[in-house]
């Protein structure tokens, strides 16, 4: 089943993100290689694809996991969590409707 992982950053998270980003991307690339990643990306803090020093306010991951517990465990092990990037993370089942 698909799950959405919606994370909200702490204030001024950009330096923390930069430090943990390689390990964070490595995990996402592993999900992609397994064919389980639907989409992933950050939410820019300003209306720009490249927010520069303004940074980001959070992230969204939609991926396939065997269970809600597995999705939560994966989210809890994110390097951004360990680095203190996220203030909170919400994991929920997700039903893709469109595009078909």
């Amino acid at each position: 089943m698909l799950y959405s992982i919606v994370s909200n950053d702490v204030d001024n998270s950009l330096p923390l993100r930069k430090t943990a980003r390689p390990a964070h991307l490595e995990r996402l690339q592993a999900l992609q290689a397994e064919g389980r990643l639907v989409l992933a990306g950050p939410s820019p803090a300003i209306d720009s694809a490249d927010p520069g020093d303004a940074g980001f306010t959070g992230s969204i991951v939609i991926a396939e996991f065997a269970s809600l517990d597995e999705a939560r465990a994966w989210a809890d092990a994110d390097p951004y969590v360990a680095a203190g990037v996220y203030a909170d993370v919400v994991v929920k089942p997700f039903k893709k409707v469109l595009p078909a």
Side-chain angles (χ1 to χ4, degrees), residues 16 20-25 27 74-85:
L16 300 171
R21 188 169 192 262
H24 172 77
L25 289 178
R27 294 178 80 238
W74 188 89
D76 289 344
D78 192 312
Y80 279 178
V81 171
V85 171

Side-chain angles (χ1 to χ4, degrees), residues 35-100:
R36 297 173 26 192
L37 182 64
V38 175
L39 67 86
S43 299
I46 60 173
D47 191 13
S48 173
D50 182 5
D53 290 340
F56 301 92
T57 61
S59 301
I60 298 172
V61 174
I62 298 178
E64 185 178 343
F65 295 94
S67 67
L68 181 57
D69 287 341
E70 183 183 304
R72 285 185 177 139
W74 188 89
D76 289 344
D78 192 312
Y80 279 178
V81 171
V85 171
Y86 295 146
D88 60 81
V89 178
V90 176
V91 181
K92 295 181 181 181
F94 181 81
K95 181 179 177 181
K96 182 181 174 196
V97 175
L98 294 171

